[in-house]
Every structure is written in structure tokens, then in C-alpha cells.
Amino acid sequence: TTSRTAGHEGAAARRAGQPAACDAEHDQQGAPTAARPFAEALMALATHPDRVPSGMWHYSTEGPTTWFEFARAIFLEYGLEVDTSPCTTAEYPTPAKRPSYSYLDGTPFAKALKLPIVPWEMELKNEVKKLKGLLHRQYMDMFIEGSDSSSIQDKVQKIADLEATNEELGRQVARMTQQLRDNFKAIE
């Protein structure tokens, strides 16, 4: 099991497209766990099932954090200035009821599979670095795939257009997320 699993579409990352205010719970602790390393751990388990006896095992990053600390760290990694305020679970109701402390120690599982035990801050840095590398490769592919008659200025403009599109998509996702949140509150 994992304490908290986040793909690249995590809530704080979605909000990154909209540099407004962000409230996040400071009274819930858990271990944010990115989907990619978790998938790699599952592949290691599938490859070496003999290393892990049957039973209850947990996978997570090392060290608990709060949603508030996690959101601030995401914004910091992306170089965004977002007014992030701590709030309590009672002040930020959600349909899912979460325990105040859900940190699961993944050390025994990681040791059994000879996986690195990574603090959540380092895993976040690694995931952001991989995302930035992916974007860089996409930009470079645009340069390589372009026709010989295209000027560098045209390609630079295409990159600027792509960045603008990505920013607009981020804002749209943030707006839809807020609409969903409002709809859930209306249902309650």
C-alpha cells in the first residue's frame, strides 16, 4: 500500500498553472509518493518475487510531511510564487475522509527489493527534473523534425506558442479543478 500517490497531475501541480492563492491542510501527515517510482518498485517486485515474502508491505518515500509542506515544495521546485496558506482539515472539507497521520514506513519493502530509500523532498526534485527534461526533449524534437527551410526564428516562435498553450492548459485544469471542488461542496 502507499500513503499518498501522486502522478504528474497532482493537485498542487495542477494549481501551478494558476499563480493564485492555495490553501492546504497542515494537520494531515503522510508520505507523498510519485507514481513512476512506485511503478518501478512494482516492476522490481514482479521481477524478484522471491525477495518479498507474502504479507502486508508498504511502499513510500522516506519521511512524513503535510499537504501544506508538500504544496509549498512543489511550487518552490517550479519556481512559482504562490500564496500558500495552511488550513485545518475542518477548514478544507473533502468528500474523502483522511486520517491525520497516514505515514507508512516503506523501508522494509525497499530493503527487501534492494531499492533506494528516498526522502520525499529528493523524490519530488527527481520527478520535477524528469518532467523538465521531458519538456526539453519535446522542444529539441521540434527543432530536429522541422523542415530545412524553417528558420530558427520560426522554431523559437513554435516553442513560445507551445509554452503559451501549456500555460493556458494549466489554467484550464486549475479552473476545472476549482469547479469540481465547488460541485462537491454543493453536494455535501
Side-chain angles (χ1 to χ4, degrees):
T1 59
T2 66
S3 172
R4 297 175 177 170
T5 305
H8 298 305
E9 67 285 349
R14 283 193 303 268
R15 292 181 186 144
Q18 181 181 7
C22 172
D23 293 339
E25 295 93 342
H26 69 87
D27 59 352
Q28 293 180 18
Q29 291 195 2
T33 303
R36 186 197 49 78
F38 181 49
E40 289 172 357
L42 292 176
M43 289 302 293
L45 176 61
T47 306
H48 305 286
D50 55 309
R51 292 184 185 169
V52 182
S54 66
M56 178 75 70
W57 295 86
H58 305 294
Y59 176 82
S60 70
T61 54
E62 182 180 35
T65 189
T66 65
W67 286 113
F68 172 70
E69 292 166 340
F70 187 48
R72 282 188 10 189
I74 290 171
F75 296 137
L76 181 68
E77 281 301 311
Y78 280 98
L80 299 169
E81 292 184 25
V82 178
D83 180 20
T84 310
S85 302
C87 69
T88 65
T89 301
E91 294 169 325
Y92 194 85
T94 62
K97 302 300 177 204
R98 295 185 176 100
S100 62
Y101 192 83
S102 62
Y103 176 68
L104 303 172
D105 183 11
T107 304
F109 182 75
K111 284 184 177 180
L113 287 171
K114 300 177 182 170
L115 299 171
I117 301 167
V118 182
W120 71 266
E121 299 94 337
M122 183 57 65
E123 187 170 279
L124 174 61
K125 287 180 187 301
N126 291 341
E127 292 305 302
V128 169
K129 183 177 178 181
K130 284 180 183 357
L131 280 173
K132 288 179 178 177
L134 177 64
L135 286 174
H136 178 74
R137 284 192 300 277
Q138 288 174 344
Y139 293 155
M140 293 308 293
D141 287 347
M142 284 180 58
F143 279 109
I144 293 167
E145 290 175 6
S147 67
D148 293 335
S149 62
S150 297
S151 71
I152 296 290
Q153 289 177 340
D154 291 339
K155 292 179 182 181
V156 169
Q157 184 58 50
K158 286 180 185 177
I159 289 173
D161 293 344
L162 180 60
E163 287 175 338
T165 301
N166 285 341
E167 288 176 16
E168 177 55 30
L169 288 173
R171 286 190 292 274
Q172 288 177 11
V173 169
R175 283 192 298 272
M176 288 188 292
T177 301
Q178 186 60 48
Q179 287 173 347
L180 286 172
R181 186 175 294 122
D182 293 344
N183 288 343
F184 279 123
K185 286 182 181 179
I187 292 171
E188 295 174 353

